[in-house]
Amino acid sequence: MKPSLSILKIGGNVIENKAELSQFLTLFSKLEGFKILVHGGGKLATEIGKKMGIESKMVGGRRITDEQSLEVITMVYAGLTNKRVVAELQARNCNAIGLSGADGNTIQAHKRPVKDIDYGFAGDVDGVNEGLLSHLLTLGLTPVFCAMTHDGKGQLLNTNADTIASEVAIGLGERYETTLYYCFEKNGVLKDVSDDRSVIQHIDTATYNELLEQGIIADGMLPKMANCFHALNNGVTKVCIGNMAMLTQNEKLYTTITL
Amino acid sequence: MKPSLSILKIGGNVIENKAELSQFLTLFSKLEGFKILVHGGGKLATEIGKKMGIESKMVGGRRITDEQSLEVITMVYAGLTNKRVVAELQARNCNAIGLSGADGNTIQAHKRPVKDIDYGFAGDVDGVNEGLLSHLLTLGLTPVFCAMTHDGKGQLLNTNADTIASEVAIGLGERYETTLYYCFEKNGVLKDVSDDRSVIQHIDTATYNELLEQGIIADGMLPKMANCFHALNNGVTKVCIGNMAMLTQNEKLYTTITL
């Protein structure tokens, strides 16, 4: 039997609230088995960019990463946020090691080709160094990824944290029984966006197609769910979506997605 | 026989000059055997702090690390500089992995006690996780340290890069035949500071004491040399001081220090 591996992604809302982050890191540090954390951190980057006189450019909710934005992102994602998380996990006896995709060549990517929109230094993932990640896990380390990759030619690239989480889960799917957790502010995938208790507890391929037809999965949930099924179709065992309480044994209110 | 390990420290002058850094990284990537890089980067931190409206406070050439400065340092040392160096080394087929002392709990430190001066979040090193570093080297990785440590209780600390280099060299001295290289802008320890060709090619304990008496080792060179002998007295085989040309086979003009 393959050993189990949990890959958790937390977004800006958790990362940038000190009390929530602390609570999350305590839950995370207590999780048993092999685990990997992936964090975003877009809001703080926008804020620090502003202090430096650099305006964030967004198109359709996605960041346009010009050279100056890349500098800010490298400072905030790989520096400030990543090292704070690592130091806090160390304080909780979790032997964390912070990584960008350039470190140990863990995630290779290429600059997104320009079509309608030039996203600048945005990276689309080509592959994950699953051999090295597996070695690090075996050494008792917990990798903590920021949302950055590299192209192998010296260029750092900004890469969506959801994508990093799913690609890492896919890359390690052959060696591990992988569960992917997307932690966000909501309780899960909701039947009615205005009702936080209307969580759909289980989604599989058939119900996914129904939900799509009914228009229940829409807006920001569309790429998130596409990402989940991309992972499931490529060897990931299970995806869970919900708030951090899903990491506790007694919380039943979150969405589990399987094929 | 123990395997050999080179630990190189580069300062701000190399880090912040794009052409020099590129040249250095090419030389470094070609070095054979196990190797570790340690980088400073104080000038860029000062510059970025200024852009954010944060003034650097220095006393006697040493940075006073208040909370805001620590933020800037974490962004610049662990983020911008470290990841740029790592990505550039990856482009040179050197499998670099960027680390602060918090990552993998590689360097534990404590906040410097307040005596005459409160240095703020400055860390004095307690120990190095030589077991993990040795594992990383065996995996074919090249650790790249920024000048940061942690206290194990969630606090990141600013730590002198020269000290990090010597402490890492000491920590690994039992397992490896360690050579410590301090790369800076001068050709080595000079007999006459105004004559860049007056390099003292070899210094040992006896000549060190003579040079101290004659006042030839003074000012900024005093703590640097004390650091070197501290390393040598604690298991480091050899220390070399000079500009990056000392990494080439044909350059003879640099200072070698042994006990």
Side-chain angles (χ1 to χ4, degrees):
Chain A
M1 224 182 70
K2 294 191 274 189
S4 69
L5 167 66
S6 307
I7 292 147
L8 286 93
K9 186 258 170 173
I10 42 169
N13 287 331
V14 180
I15 279 286
E16 280 146 32
N17 178 316
K18 217 175 167 179
E20 275 199 39
L21 179 61
S22 171
Q23 203 186 339
F24 170 81
L25 293 176
T26 299
L27 286 174
F28 178 77
S29 66
K30 287 178 181 162
L31 270 187
E32 288 187 18
F34 295 116
K35 56 197 172 190
I36 293 175
L37 182 60
V38 180
H39 63 79
K43 281 187 202 164
L44 189 59
T46 303
E47 202 180 288
I48 294 206
K50 258 189 197 157
K51 278 192 197 170
M52 293 177 62
I54 298 164
E55 279 301 316
S56 294
K57 296 172 200 79
M58 311 288 273
V59 172
R62 302 187 84 157
R63 189 181 291 271
I64 304 294
T65 315
D66 60 13
E67 214 173 311
Q68 281 190 314
S69 303
L70 186 72
E71 269 196 24
V72 175
I73 283 168
T74 311
M75 293 198 292
V76 177
Y77 293 2
L80 198 55
T81 303
N82 192 263
K83 297 314 162 203
R84 276 181 177 168
V85 166
V86 167
E88 287 290 342
L89 285 174
Q90 290 290 347
R92 288 163 175 80
N93 288 315
C94 171
N95 200 359
I97 186 165
L99 300 171
S100 73
D103 298 292
N105 192 24
T106 40
I107 310 173
Q108 307 94 35
H110 62 272
K111 190 171 173 291
R112 185 171 305 152
V114 179
K115 288 179 193 164
D116 299 344
I117 300 166
D118 183 357
Y119 287 102
F121 296 105
D124 290 327
V125 174
D126 292 320
V128 167
N129 188 345
E130 76 273 10
L132 178 61
L133 284 173
S134 190
H135 275 303
L136 297 180
L137 291 169
T138 309
L139 288 173
L141 294 167
T142 297
V144 176
F145 277 104
C146 64
M148 298 202 76
T149 57
H150 78 135
D151 71 355
K153 296 170 202 145
Q155 183 64 58
L156 292 162
L157 296 164
N158 180 17
T159 298
N160 181 276
D162 281 11
T163 308
I164 289 197
S166 61
E167 293 294 338
V168 167
I170 291 167
L172 288 158
E174 253 185 52
R175 296 171 190 244
Y176 299 87
E177 188 91 15
T178 49
T179 304
L180 186 53
Y181 293 90
Y182 285 114
C183 286
F184 70 158
E185 62 282 12
K186 291 188 180 138
N187 289 335
V189 182
L190 303 177
K191 227 172 200 158
D192 171 3
V193 253
S194 64
D195 177 8
D196 214 31
R197 306 297 296 175
S198 69
V199 174
I200 305 166
Q201 291 205 282
H202 187 240
I203 298 175
D204 60 17
T205 314
T207 48
Y208 176 46
N209 288 327
E210 284 170 30
L211 292 167
L212 278 175
E213 271 176 37
Q214 295 161 7
I216 288 172
I217 294 169
D219 304 324
M221 220 50 206
L222 277 170
K224 229 179 179 66
M225 289 298 291
N227 214 3
C228 294
F229 275 92
H230 170 65
L232 293 169
N233 283 314
N234 287 279
V236 172
T237 311
K238 197 170 72 172
V239 184
C240 300
I241 301 188
N243 69 44
M244 68 170 95
M246 71 177 159
L247 301 181
T248 60
Q249 291 293 333
N250 44 7
E251 179 60 53
K252 301 273 176 271
L253 204 63
Y254 58 90
T255 304
T256 302
I257 311 169
T258 53
L259 277 186
Chain B
M1 224 183 69
K2 295 191 273 190
S4 70
L5 167 67
S6 305
I7 292 147
L8 287 92
K9 186 256 168 173
I10 44 168
N13 287 331
V14 178
I15 279 285
E16 281 145 33
N17 178 316
K18 216 174 168 180
E20 275 199 40
L21 179 60
S22 170
Q23 203 186 338
F24 169 81
L25 294 176
T26 300
L27 286 174
F28 178 77
S29 65
K30 287 179 181 161
L31 270 187
E32 288 186 18
F34 295 115
K35 56 197 173 190
I36 293 175
L37 182 61
V38 180
H39 63 79
K43 280 185 202 168
L44 189 58
T46 303
E47 203 180 286
I48 294 207
K50 256 188 198 158
K51 277 193 197 170
M52 293 177 61
I54 299 164
E55 279 299 319
S56 295
K57 296 171 200 77
M58 312 286 274
V59 172
R62 302 187 86 156
R63 187 181 292 271
I64 305 294
T65 315
D66 61 13
E67 214 173 311
Q68 282 191 312
S69 303
L70 186 71
E71 269 196 23
V72 175
I73 283 168
T74 310
M75 294 198 291
V76 177
Y77 293 2
L80 197 57
T81 302
N82 192 263
K83 296 315 161 202
R84 276 181 177 167
V85 166
V86 167
E88 288 289 341
L89 284 173
Q90 289 289 348
R92 288 163 175 80
N93 288 316
C94 171
N95 199 0
I97 186 165
L99 299 171
S100 73
D103 297 293
N105 193 24
T106 40
I107 309 174
Q108 308 93 35
H110 61 272
K111 188 170 176 289
R112 186 172 304 152
V114 179
K115 287 178 194 164
D116 299 345
I117 300 166
D118 182 357
Y119 286 103
F121 296 104
D124 290 328
V125 175
D126 293 320
V128 167
N129 188 346
E130 75 274 10
L132 178 61
L133 284 173
S134 191
H135 275 303
L136 297 180
L137 291 168
T138 309
L139 289 173
L141 294 167
T142 296
V144 176
F145 276 103
C146 64
M148 298 201 76
T149 57
H150 78 135
D151 71 355
K153 296 169 202 147
Q155 184 63 57
L156 292 162
L157 296 164
N158 180 17
T159 298
N160 181 276
D162 280 13
T163 307
I164 289 197
S166 61
E167 293 294 339
V168 167
I170 290 168
L172 288 158
E174 252 184 53
R175 296 171 190 244
Y176 298 87
E177 188 90 16
T178 49
T179 303
L180 185 54
Y181 294 89
Y182 285 115
C183 287
F184 69 159
E185 62 281 11
K186 290 187 180 139
N187 289 333
V189 183
L190 304 176
K191 227 173 200 154
D192 171 3
V193 252
S194 63
D195 178 8
D196 213 31
R197 305 297 295 173
S198 68
V199 174
I200 305 166
Q201 293 206 280
H202 187 238
I203 297 175
D204 60 17
T205 313
T207 49
Y208 176 46
N209 290 325
E210 282 171 32
L211 291 166
L212 277 175
E213 272 176 35
Q214 294 161 9
I216 288 172
I217 292 169
D219 305 323
M221 220 48 205
L222 276 170
K224 231 182 176 63
M225 289 298 290
N227 214 4
C228 294
F229 275 92
H230 170 66
L232 293 168
N233 283 315
N234 288 279
V236 173
T237 311
K238 198 170 73 175
V239 184
C240 299
I241 301 188
N243 68 45
M244 69 171 95
M246 71 178 159
L247 301 182
T248 60
Q249 291 294 331
N250 45 6
E251 178 61 51
K252 302 275 176 270
L253 205 63
Y254 59 90
T255 304
T256 302
I257 310 168
T258 53
L259 277 186

Short mmCIF file of all heavy atoms in Angstrom, two decimals, chain A residues 66-92:
data_model
loop_
_atom_site.label_atom_id
_atom_site.label_comp_id
_atom_site.label_asym_id
_atom_site.label_seq_id
_atom_site.Cartn_x
_atom_site.Cartn_y
_atom_site.Cartn_z
N ASP A 66 4.44 42.11 -14.31
CA ASP A 66 5.55 42.76 -14.99
C ASP A 66 6.80 42.62 -14.11
O ASP A 66 6.75 42.00 -13.03
CB ASP A 66 5.24 44.22 -15.33
CG ASP A 66 4.95 45.05 -14.10
OD1 ASP A 66 5.21 44.59 -12.97
OD2 ASP A 66 4.45 46.18 -14.25
N GLU A 67 7.92 43.19 -14.56
CA GLU A 67 9.18 42.97 -13.84
C GLU A 67 9.11 43.47 -12.39
O GLU A 67 9.59 42.80 -11.48
CB GLU A 67 10.32 43.65 -14.60
CG GLU A 67 11.62 42.87 -14.48
CD GLU A 67 12.71 43.43 -15.37
OE1 GLU A 67 12.44 43.65 -16.56
OE2 GLU A 67 13.82 43.66 -14.86
N GLN A 68 8.51 44.64 -12.22
CA GLN A 68 8.42 45.20 -10.87
C GLN A 68 7.51 44.36 -9.97
O GLN A 68 7.82 44.13 -8.80
CB GLN A 68 7.88 46.63 -10.94
CG GLN A 68 8.93 47.66 -11.36
CD GLN A 68 8.39 49.07 -11.16
OE1 GLN A 68 7.27 49.37 -11.55
NE2 GLN A 68 9.20 49.91 -10.54
N SER A 69 6.39 43.90 -10.53
CA SER A 69 5.49 43.05 -9.74
C SER A 69 6.19 41.75 -9.35
O SER A 69 5.99 41.24 -8.25
CB SER A 69 4.24 42.69 -10.53
OG SER A 69 3.58 43.83 -10.95
N LEU A 70 6.98 41.22 -10.27
CA LEU A 70 7.69 39.97 -9.97
C LEU A 70 8.64 40.17 -8.79
O LEU A 70 8.76 39.30 -7.93
CB LEU A 70 8.46 39.49 -11.20
CG LEU A 70 9.12 38.12 -11.04
CD1 LEU A 70 8.09 37.00 -11.02
CD2 LEU A 70 10.14 37.85 -12.13
N GLU A 71 9.29 41.34 -8.75
CA GLU A 71 10.18 41.65 -7.62
C GLU A 71 9.41 41.64 -6.31
O GLU A 71 9.84 41.05 -5.32
CB GLU A 71 10.79 43.05 -7.80
CG GLU A 71 12.10 43.05 -8.52
CD GLU A 71 12.87 44.36 -8.34
OE1 GLU A 71 12.65 45.08 -7.36
OE2 GLU A 71 13.70 44.65 -9.22
N VAL A 72 8.25 42.31 -6.33
CA VAL A 72 7.44 42.40 -5.11
C VAL A 72 6.96 41.01 -4.70
O VAL A 72 7.03 40.62 -3.52
CB VAL A 72 6.23 43.33 -5.33
CG1 VAL A 72 5.31 43.32 -4.11
CG2 VAL A 72 6.70 44.75 -5.62
N ILE A 73 6.50 40.24 -5.66
CA ILE A 73 6.01 38.89 -5.39
C ILE A 73 7.11 38.01 -4.82
O ILE A 73 6.90 37.25 -3.87
CB ILE A 73 5.42 38.30 -6.70
CG1 ILE A 73 4.05 38.91 -6.94
CG2 ILE A 73 5.35 36.80 -6.66
CD1 ILE A 73 3.51 38.63 -8.32
N THR A 74 8.30 38.12 -5.40
CA THR A 74 9.43 37.32 -4.91
C THR A 74 9.74 37.68 -3.46
O THR A 74 10.01 36.81 -2.64
CB THR A 74 10.67 37.53 -5.81
OG1 THR A 74 10.29 37.37 -7.17
CG2 THR A 74 11.76 36.52 -5.48
N MET A 75 9.66 38.97 -3.16
CA MET A 75 9.93 39.41 -1.79
C MET A 75 8.86 38.92 -0.82
O MET A 75 9.16 38.43 0.26
CB MET A 75 10.01 40.93 -1.73
CG MET A 75 11.20 41.49 -2.47
SD MET A 75 11.59 43.18 -1.98
CE MET A 75 10.19 44.04 -2.64
N VAL A 76 7.60 39.06 -1.23
CA VAL A 76 6.50 38.77 -0.31
C VAL A 76 6.21 37.28 -0.23
O VAL A 76 6.15 36.71 0.87
CB VAL A 76 5.23 39.56 -0.69
CG1 VAL A 76 4.08 39.21 0.22
CG2 VAL A 76 5.52 41.06 -0.64
N TYR A 77 6.04 36.63 -1.38
CA TYR A 77 5.69 35.20 -1.36
C TYR A 77 6.85 34.36 -0.80
O TYR A 77 6.67 33.61 0.15
CB TYR A 77 5.36 34.69 -2.77
CG TYR A 77 4.12 35.25 -3.41
CD1 TYR A 77 3.33 36.21 -2.80
CD2 TYR A 77 3.71 34.80 -4.67
CE1 TYR A 77 2.19 36.71 -3.43
CE2 TYR A 77 2.57 35.28 -5.29
CZ TYR A 77 1.83 36.25 -4.66
OH TYR A 77 0.71 36.73 -5.29
N ALA A 78 8.01 34.48 -1.47
CA ALA A 78 9.14 33.60 -1.12
C ALA A 78 9.86 34.07 0.14
O ALA A 78 10.48 33.27 0.84
CB ALA A 78 10.13 33.53 -2.28
N GLY A 79 9.76 35.38 0.43
CA GLY A 79 10.44 35.92 1.60
C GLY A 79 9.52 36.00 2.79
O GLY A 79 9.42 35.08 3.59
N LEU A 80 8.83 37.12 2.89
CA LEU A 80 8.06 37.43 4.10
C LEU A 80 7.06 36.34 4.50
O LEU A 80 7.12 35.82 5.62
CB LEU A 80 7.32 38.76 3.87
CG LEU A 80 6.81 39.47 5.13
CD1 LEU A 80 7.92 39.70 6.12
CD2 LEU A 80 6.14 40.79 4.75
N THR A 81 6.16 35.99 3.59
CA THR A 81 5.12 35.02 3.95
C THR A 81 5.69 33.64 4.18
O THR A 81 5.41 32.99 5.19
CB THR A 81 4.03 34.99 2.85
OG1 THR A 81 3.52 36.31 2.69
CG2 THR A 81 2.91 34.05 3.22
N ASN A 82 6.50 33.18 3.25
CA ASN A 82 7.04 31.83 3.34
C ASN A 82 7.86 31.63 4.62
O ASN A 82 7.67 30.65 5.34
CB ASN A 82 7.87 31.51 2.10
CG ASN A 82 8.21 30.04 1.99
OD1 ASN A 82 9.29 29.62 2.39
ND2 ASN A 82 7.28 29.23 1.48
N LYS A 83 8.74 32.55 4.92
CA LYS A 83 9.62 32.36 6.09
C LYS A 83 8.88 32.52 7.40
O LYS A 83 9.21 31.85 8.39
CB LYS A 83 10.83 33.30 6.02
CG LYS A 83 11.75 33.05 4.84
CD LYS A 83 12.06 31.57 4.61
CE LYS A 83 12.59 31.31 3.22
NZ LYS A 83 12.39 29.89 2.79
N ARG A 84 7.86 33.39 7.42
CA ARG A 84 7.04 33.50 8.63
C ARG A 84 6.32 32.18 8.90
O ARG A 84 6.27 31.72 10.04
CB ARG A 84 6.00 34.60 8.45
CG ARG A 84 6.53 35.98 8.77
CD ARG A 84 5.40 36.98 8.60
NE ARG A 84 5.82 38.32 8.97
CZ ARG A 84 5.11 39.41 8.68
NH1 ARG A 84 3.96 39.31 8.04
NH2 ARG A 84 5.55 40.60 9.05
N VAL A 85 5.75 31.61 7.85
CA VAL A 85 5.03 30.34 8.00
C VAL A 85 6.00 29.25 8.47
O VAL A 85 5.70 28.48 9.38
CB VAL A 85 4.33 29.95 6.68
CG1 VAL A 85 3.86 28.51 6.70
CG2 VAL A 85 3.15 30.88 6.41
N VAL A 86 7.17 29.20 7.85
CA VAL A 86 8.15 28.17 8.21
C VAL A 86 8.57 28.33 9.69
O VAL A 86 8.59 27.35 10.44
CB VAL A 86 9.38 28.24 7.28
CG1 VAL A 86 10.55 27.42 7.83
CG2 VAL A 86 9.02 27.75 5.87
N ALA A 87 8.87 29.55 10.10
CA ALA A 87 9.31 29.78 11.48
C ALA A 87 8.19 29.40 12.47
O ALA A 87 8.45 28.81 13.52
CB ALA A 87 9.74 31.23 11.68
N GLU A 88 6.94 29.74 12.11
CA GLU A 88 5.81 29.40 12.99
C GLU A 88 5.60 27.88 13.06
O GLU A 88 5.21 27.36 14.10
CB GLU A 88 4.53 30.08 12.49
CG GLU A 88 4.49 31.59 12.73
CD GLU A 88 4.35 31.96 14.19
OE1 GLU A 88 3.95 31.10 15.00
OE2 GLU A 88 4.68 33.11 14.54
N LEU A 89 5.81 27.19 11.95
CA LEU A 89 5.68 25.73 11.98
C LEU A 89 6.79 25.11 12.81
O LEU A 89 6.57 24.16 13.56
CB LEU A 89 5.66 25.15 10.56
CG LEU A 89 4.34 25.36 9.80
CD1 LEU A 89 4.46 24.89 8.35
CD2 LEU A 89 3.19 24.61 10.49
N GLN A 90 8.01 25.64 12.69
CA GLN A 90 9.12 25.15 13.52
C GLN A 90 8.77 25.28 14.99
O GLN A 90 9.08 24.39 15.79
CB GLN A 90 10.41 25.93 13.21
CG GLN A 90 11.02 25.65 11.85
CD GLN A 90 11.62 24.26 11.73
OE1 GLN A 90 11.80 23.55 12.71
NE2 GLN A 90 11.90 23.85 10.50
N ALA A 91 8.12 26.39 15.36
CA ALA A 91 7.73 26.60 16.76
C ALA A 91 6.70 25.56 17.20
O ALA A 91 6.50 25.35 18.40
CB ALA A 91 7.16 28.01 16.93
N ARG A 92 6.04 24.92 16.22
CA ARG A 92 5.03 23.89 16.53
C ARG A 92 5.59 22.49 16.27
O ARG A 92 4.83 21.53 16.04
CB ARG A 92 3.78 24.14 15.68
CG ARG A 92 2.98 25.37 16.12
CD ARG A 92 2.01 25.81 15.05
NE ARG A 92 1.16 26.91 15.49
CZ ARG A 92 1.51 28.18 15.53
NH1 ARG A 92 2.74 28.53 15.15
NH2 ARG A 92 0.66 29.10 15.94
#
